[in-house]
Amino acid sequence: MKRYLIERDIPKVGSLNSGQLCDAAATSNAALAQLGPDIQWVHSYVTADKTFCIYLAKDEAVIRRHAEISGFPATKITEISTIIDPSTGTPK
């Protein structure tokens, strides 16, 4: 599967409490269960008015379908080609 970054514009998402975030995650999980093995949510970063979500998916279409089912917008979908981190700069 390919790795994607999904940017979601969700006004005031950063002000949700833990119960509301739990409910949002449960809604996303229910949509994922409907879509089967072609998509997996890895994790999300929550800011004031957006979430940035990392997903593994067969293609962009299944991500868009998840957005439709869950009701969470997929404002921008970007395929991730490579991951680097501090260890990338360490000679081997």
Side-chain angles (χ1 to χ4, degrees), residues 3 9 11 13 15 17 30 35-36 39 42 53-54 59-60 62 65-66 80:
R3 186 177 308 265
D9 290 329
V13 69
S15 65
N17 64 39
L35 294 168
I39 185 169
V42 178
C53 307
I54 304 297
D59 55 31
E60 191 174 313
V62 72
R65 184 72 184 123
H66 174 270
I80 298 169

Side-chain angles (χ1 to χ4, degrees), residues 13-36:
V13 69
S15 65
L16 297 180
N17 64 39
S18 62
Q20 292 167 312
L21 291 171
C22 179
D23 291 345
T27 298
S28 180
N29 289 338
L32 291 168
Q34 290 182 44
L35 294 168

Side-chain angles (χ1 to χ4, degrees), residues 60-77:
E60 191 174 313
V62 72
I63 293 169
R64 292 201 183 282
R65 184 72 184 123
H66 174 270
E68 291 170 13
I69 294 169
S70 68
F72 300 127
T75 308
K76 183 176 181 183
I77 301 170

Side-chain angles (χ1 to χ4, degrees), residues 1-6 8 25 28-29 32 39-45 52-57 63 66 80 83:
M1 287 198 284
K2 300 174 186 176
R3 186 177 308 265
Y4 292 91
L5 172 68
I6 298 96
R8 302 181 191 280
S28 180
N29 289 338
L32 291 168
I39 185 169
Q40 178 185 346
W41 177 26
V42 178
H43 60 262
S44 297
Y45 301 95
F52 297 88
C53 307
I54 304 297
Y55 276 71
L56 301 177
I63 293 169
H66 174 270
I80 298 169
I83 298 172

